[in-house]
Amino acid sequence: MSKAWLNEVTWNDDGLVPAIAQDAETGKVLMMAWMNRESLEATVREGHAIYWSRSRGRLWRKGESSGHTQELVDLRLDCDGDTVLLRVRQHGGIACHTGREHCFFRQLQAGDATCWHDVEPVKKNPDDIYQ
C-alpha cells in the first residue's frame, strides 16, 4: 500500500503531529496526544490508536497497560495538514490515565478564575487500573 498520504501531514520540527481523539458516537473530545509517522501508519494498519510517547521515547499503544483501547473508526486531517483527528470507539469508557472518561476534566469557572476545578468524576481509581 502506498504511504504517500503520510507526506501530506505537516510534521513539526520533532517529526510529530498533534492527534485529537474524539468519541465517534458522542463527539466528546477524549484526549490529545502526539503521533509520528510510524505511529500514524501503525494506527491505520492495526485499526487501533497508537501514539508517540514523548516521555517514554517510544510508541504507545493506547490501552497497553490499562486495557482502555481506542478502536479507530475514522481518521481526518485538518485543513492545514498539521493536526489529525481520530474518531474512535473508547473501550472501557476511560481515556484518561487519571481514571476519567476524558482528559479535559479541569475547568476555569466563571466567577472563580483563580484556579482550575475538577468537574468530571473519576470512574476508576488509577491505582486499580495500573498495577
Side-chain angles (χ1 to χ4, degrees):
M1 176 166 77
S2 172
K3 298 177 188 173
W5 59 274
L6 287 165
N7 295 330
E8 294 183 45
V9 177
T10 303
W11 307 96
N12 71 13
D13 291 341
D14 295 322
L16 302 173
V17 64
I20 299 167
Q22 178 185 40
D23 187 293
E25 186 175 314
T26 67
K28 186 176 287 188
V29 175
L30 300 173
M31 57 179 277
M32 181 274 176
W34 295 94
M35 295 181 121
N36 62 7
R37 286 180 75 93
E38 182 182 5
S39 65
L40 184 54
E41 180 185 3
T43 294
V44 170
R45 185 178 62 248
E46 297 181 23
H48 285 87
I50 301 169
Y51 301 105
W52 176 256
S53 173
R54 295 178 304 162
S55 61
R56 299 175 194 138
R58 66 173 176 82
L59 292 181
W60 161 42
R61 285 175 162 72
K62 179 68 175 144
E64 65 190 2
S65 56
S66 68
H68 302 138
T69 60
Q70 294 176 341
E71 179 184 350
L72 184 65
V73 173
D74 185 34
L75 182 65
R76 307 281 177 111
L77 183 63
D78 80 334
C79 57
D80 295 321
D82 62 2
T83 304
V84 294
L85 174 68
L86 291 82
R87 294 184 61 242
V88 300
R89 281 189 196 93
Q90 178 65 56
H91 296 283
I94 297 172
C96 185
H97 73 279
T98 66
R100 291 176 173 87
E101 178 183 11
H102 58 85
C103 295
F104 297 96
F105 60 88
R106 298 171 72 191
Q107 180 183 54
L108 193 63
Q109 297 176 342
D112 184 11
T114 60
C115 64
W116 295 96
H117 297 271
D118 293 353
V119 296
E120 300 286 337
V122 173
K123 294 179 89 173
K124 189 170 185 180
N125 185 322
D127 293 338
D128 297 332
I129 297 171
Y130 305 101
Q131 299 179 6

